[in-house]
């Protein structure tokens, strides 16, 4: 019997390896039967699998602009240039989408865990429940990213009919892969996180593994992307109540102290990483650069002049990954993100002073004391714009800006039109369907029940 149902490159569950295998018209491989509770914990310890997050939003978001940097233009590989210019199609039928494949790999492994860990041996009930809960949180994180790449922005009026994703909750390779609705995907994310939270640890063993603060943070990010801002603020506050350590950039400003790597960074609640697409350095857009004051330590530490990079380019580039000693950029939920998510919810609720208090608490750690000036706003609308600008300054270069662009694109007062020049041609991104990535054609050819996104 041949296997037709393929939309993902699935993870071969062999201990000690993270290699991928495409199950295309082959029999399911022989796998060592997992027996012990510790086997399932080792799966969750796989850094090279569970730290992976989507890198393509770094290209599609308005943080960067290649502009007239022809040296960098030529470095974009096939497919990356389509993403950068918001083309109708990203890939041909002979290309794979690594972001899709990698996130569904995570989901497949999580489904293996949730299906089997409670029947494993040589583990306590508490250990099994904690592993089960972590798999639920990791699955929720993967689906949240996927639905915000390959489906329309959440809209209450249309969420029950807008196509979302193939929603796989069991390690079954032969299930139909019809796309569940956007609402069904979000409902599953919320269900997984709410079920996991009581069993997640207060203090996880390291930042690869989610604890309660990360669980609340993922719920806050979920509701933010749904534009349910009161709920987003509430869960962000719960996350911060559980854990709220901030780095003081003054400690790193003179270079005497090395900036912490991702897994050692106390601001990170759940470590996720993305590599630079095409491994090019990211030239920052003039719009973004102009939002920084020169004395902002994020500007001084996390950006450099284009002549610092090879090949060199005009303007300034993102230096975040260089500070991590070659580490990839962190995209996981973090303390600063939660502060700004709560602040946005407060600003939208008209609580201007409370919103600005959170923004300024963060900014105090981003300026030298003598150069710090508190921001003020006369209206809630002004406070909201301050919060959104602060999100751009705090989270730039990670690709998280793309997800903000998506949700803000449905608000006429906050939606922006982005224009960029690439290889002599001008491209414009306006609010609409180009904020939805196309499903990889290769996956649709193998699984015709998956309908393509309108572009």
């Amino acid at each position: 019997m041949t296997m037709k149902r393929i939309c993902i490159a699935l993870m071969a569950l062999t201990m000690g390896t993270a290699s991928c295998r495409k199950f295309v018209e082959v029999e399911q491989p022989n796998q060592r039967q997992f027996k012990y509770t510790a086997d399932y914990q080792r799966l969750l310890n796989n850094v090279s699998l569970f730290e992976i997050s989507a890198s393509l939003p770094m290209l599609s978001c308005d943080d960067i602009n290649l502009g007239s940097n022809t040296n960098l233009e030529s470095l974009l590989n096939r497919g990356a240039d389509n993403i950068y210019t918001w083309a109708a199609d990203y890939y041909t039928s002979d290309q794979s989408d690594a972001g899709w494949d990698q996130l569904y790999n995570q989901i497949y492994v999580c489904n293996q865990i949730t299906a089997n860990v409670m029947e494993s041996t040589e583990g306590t009930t508490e250990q099994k429940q904690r592993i089960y809960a972590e798999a639920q949180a990791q699955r929720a994180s993967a689906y949240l990213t996927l639905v915000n790449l390959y489906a329309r922005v959440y809209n209450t009026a249309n969420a029950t009919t807008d196509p979302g994703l193939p929603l796989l909750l069991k390690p079954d390779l032969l299930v139909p892969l019809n796309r569940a609705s956007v609402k069904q995907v979000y409902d599953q994310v919320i269900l997984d996180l709410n079920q996991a939270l009581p069993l997640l640890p207060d203090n996880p063993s390291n930042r690869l593994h989610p604890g309660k603060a990360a669980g609340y943070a993922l719920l806050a990010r979920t509701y933010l992307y749904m534009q349910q801002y009161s709920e987003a603020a509430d869960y962000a506050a719960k996350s911060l109540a559980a854990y709220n350590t901030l780095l003081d950039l003054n400690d790193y400003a003179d270079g005497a102290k090395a900036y912490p790597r991702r897994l050692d960074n106390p601001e990170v609640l759940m470590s996720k990483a993305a590599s630079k697409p095409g491994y090019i350095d990211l030239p920052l857009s003039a719009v973004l650069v102009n939002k920084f004051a020169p004395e902002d330590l994020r500007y001084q530490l996390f950006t450099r002049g284009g002549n610092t990079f090879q090949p060199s380019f005009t303007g300034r580039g993102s230096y975040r990954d260089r500070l991590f000693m070659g580490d990839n950029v962190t995209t996981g939920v973090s303390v600063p993100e939660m502060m700004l998510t709560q602040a946005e919810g407060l600003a939208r609720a008209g609580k201007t002073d409370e919103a600005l208090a959170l923004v300024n608490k963060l900014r105090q750690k981003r300026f030298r004391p003598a150069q710090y000036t508190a921001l003020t706003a006369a209206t809630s609308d002004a406070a909201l714009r301050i919060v959104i600008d602060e999100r751009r300054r705090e989270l730039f270069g990670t690709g998280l800006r793309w997800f903000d662009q998506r949700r803000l694109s449905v608000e006429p007062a906050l939606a922006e039109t982005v224009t960029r020049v690439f290889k002599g041609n001008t491209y414009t991104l306006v609010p609409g369907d180009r904020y939805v990535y196309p499903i990889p054609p290769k996956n649709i050819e193998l699984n015709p029940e998956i309908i393509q996104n309108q572009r």
Side-chain angles (χ1 to χ4, degrees), residues 27-46:
E27 296 299 327
Q28 187 170 352
N30 292 327
Q31 297 171 0
R32 161 157 118 58
Q33 182 65 44
F34 293 141
K35 177 179 179 181
Y36 304 111
T37 302
D39 291 340
Y40 296 97
Q41 181 61 64
R42 291 189 185 98
L43 289 175
L44 291 170
N45 292 346
N46 189 337

Side-chain angles (χ1 to χ4, degrees), residues 225-240:
Y225 293 169
M226 296 172 72
Q227 304 116 62
Q228 296 183 16
Y229 294 108
S230 176
E231 291 88 347
D234 288 345
Y235 281 111
K238 290 179 180 179
S239 178
L240 292 169

Side-chain angles (χ1 to χ4, degrees), residues 241-293:
Y243 181 86
N244 53 31
T245 299
L246 271 179
L247 287 174
D248 188 340
L249 294 190
N250 284 280
D251 295 338
Y252 309 95
D254 59 5
K257 186 176 181 180
Y259 196 77
R261 294 181 66 117
R262 186 174 57 255
L263 285 170
D264 299 321
N265 189 332
E267 292 184 343
V268 174
L269 298 175
M270 183 177 176
S271 186
K272 297 290 180 183
S275 60
K276 293 177 296 186
Y279 301 98
I280 66 168
D281 291 300
L282 302 178
L284 300 176
S285 71
V287 173
L288 172 63
V289 172
N290 290 336
K291 290 186 180 294
F292 286 97

Side-chain angles (χ1 to χ4, degrees), residues 6-251:
I6 306 301
C7 79
I8 352 164
L10 295 176
M11 176 64 61
L13 293 180
T14 305
M15 298 308 296
T17 180
S19 61
C20 295
R21 172 170 184 169
K22 292 182 175 61
F23 288 64
V24 182
E25 297 189 348
V26 296
E27 296 299 327
Q28 187 170 352
N30 292 327
Q31 297 171 0
R32 161 157 118 58
Q33 182 65 44
F34 293 141
K35 177 179 179 181
Y36 304 111
T37 302
D39 291 340
Y40 296 97
Q41 181 61 64
R42 291 189 185 98
L43 289 175
L44 291 170
N45 292 346
N46 189 337
V47 175
S48 62
L49 172 64
F50 280 107
E51 265 206 315
I52 293 174
S53 187
S55 61
L56 300 185
M58 292 186 202
L59 277 180
S60 54
C61 78
D62 61 1
D63 277 354
I64 72 168
N65 196 327
L66 298 182
S68 60
N69 294 300
T70 55
N71 287 340
L72 294 180
E73 288 179 341
S74 64
L75 292 178
L76 283 186
N77 54 27
R78 188 167 64 126
D81 53 353
N82 290 332
I83 297 159
Y84 180 72
T85 58
W86 315 296
D89 300 307
Y90 287 176
Y91 302 107
T92 60
S93 59
D94 63 341
Q95 292 177 298
S96 297
D97 181 337
W100 175 283
D101 291 346
Q102 291 163 346
L103 290 168
Y104 268 110
N105 274 337
Q106 293 177 15
I107 289 165
Y108 179 70
V109 174
C110 289
N111 289 343
Q112 286 280 357
I113 294 169
T114 57
N116 299 302
V117 68
M118 297 308 296
E119 305 304 319
S120 63
T121 62
E122 296 190 6
T124 66
T125 299
E126 181 181 4
Q127 288 170 330
K128 296 174 187 179
Q129 289 176 332
R130 178 180 50 75
I131 291 168
Y132 189 106
E134 180 175 342
Q136 285 184 299
Q138 292 284 5
R139 182 170 68 188
S141 176
Y143 271 126
L144 181 60
T145 300
L146 284 164
V147 78
N148 278 279
L149 292 176
Y150 301 100
R152 289 179 178 171
V153 179
Y154 190 94
N155 181 318
T156 302
N158 303 324
T160 57
T161 56
D162 282 341
L165 302 165
L167 191 57
L168 309 178
L169 303 175
K170 297 179 180 179
D172 186 346
L173 301 178
L174 298 175
V175 295
L177 296 172
N178 303 83
R179 295 172 68 178
S181 71
V182 167
K183 184 177 188 303
Q184 286 174 305
V185 177
Y186 272 95
D187 285 349
Q188 184 62 47
V189 169
I190 292 169
L191 177 65
D192 270 343
L193 291 171
N194 279 325
Q195 288 182 347
L197 261 164
L199 300 170
L200 292 175
D202 294 332
N203 300 298
S205 57
N206 61 52
R207 289 176 176 82
L208 177 66
H209 303 291
K212 282 188 169 56
Y216 286 127
L218 285 169
L219 277 170
R221 185 184 276 187
T222 301
Y223 282 109
L224 185 79
Y225 293 169
M226 296 172 72
Q227 304 116 62
Q228 296 183 16
Y229 294 108
S230 176
E231 291 88 347
D234 288 345
Y235 281 111
K238 290 179 180 179
S239 178
L240 292 169
Y243 181 86
N244 53 31
T245 299
L246 271 179
L247 287 174
D248 188 340
L249 294 190
N250 284 280
D251 295 338

Side-chain angles (χ1 to χ4, degrees), residues 370-418:
Q371 296 174 322
Y372 168 73
T373 302
L375 299 179
T376 61
T379 66
S380 58
D381 285 343
L384 177 58
R385 290 187 177 275
I386 286 173
V387 173
I388 291 171
D389 281 347
E390 199 63 32
R391 284 182 70 91
R392 291 203 68 179
R393 287 185 284 262
E394 184 66 31
L395 305 175
F396 82 90
T398 64
L400 293 175
R401 168 64 179 168
W402 179 249
F403 303 108
D404 282 345
Q405 284 179 253
R406 276 173 48 91
R407 64 184 177 88
L408 297 175
S409 72
V410 301
E411 296 188 58
L414 296 172
E416 297 181 5
T417 295
V418 185

Side-chain angles (χ1 to χ4, degrees), residues 306-448:
N307 59 357
T308 304
F309 303 92
Q310 291 294 329
S312 64
F313 52 84
T314 57
R316 294 188 74 82
S318 176
Y319 203 75
R320 283 183 185 269
D321 61 302
R322 303 290 185 95
L323 283 181
F324 296 131
M325 297 175 287
D327 224 359
N328 292 330
V329 174
T330 182
T331 62
V333 285
S334 66
V335 171
E337 180 190 352
M338 289 304 102
M339 295 177 72
L340 294 170
T341 296
Q342 185 183 6
E344 182 170 342
L346 291 168
R348 288 178 180 273
K351 299 177 181 179
T352 301
D353 291 342
E354 293 177 53
L356 267 294
L358 275 168
V359 172
N360 286 319
K361 183 178 180 179
L362 173 63
R363 286 173 61 85
Q364 282 182 308
K365 304 294 187 180
R366 295 343 189 203
F367 288 80
R368 297 183 188 276
Q371 296 174 322
Y372 168 73
T373 302
L375 299 179
T376 61
T379 66
S380 58
D381 285 343
L384 177 58
R385 290 187 177 275
I386 286 173
V387 173
I388 291 171
D389 281 347
E390 199 63 32
R391 284 182 70 91
R392 291 203 68 179
R393 287 185 284 262
E394 184 66 31
L395 305 175
F396 82 90
T398 64
L400 293 175
R401 168 64 179 168
W402 179 249
F403 303 108
D404 282 345
Q405 284 179 253
R406 276 173 48 91
R407 64 184 177 88
L408 297 175
S409 72
V410 301
E411 296 188 58
L414 296 172
E416 297 181 5
T417 295
V418 185
T419 300
R420 55 182 38 157
V421 177
F422 183 71
K423 295 184 177 179
N425 297 312
T426 300
Y427 300 89
T428 302
L429 177 67
V430 298
D433 288 333
R434 293 296 169 95
Y435 275 109
V436 184
Y437 283 6
I439 304 292
K442 182 177 184 178
N443 296 355
I444 295 177
E445 289 181 10
L446 291 167
N447 306 275

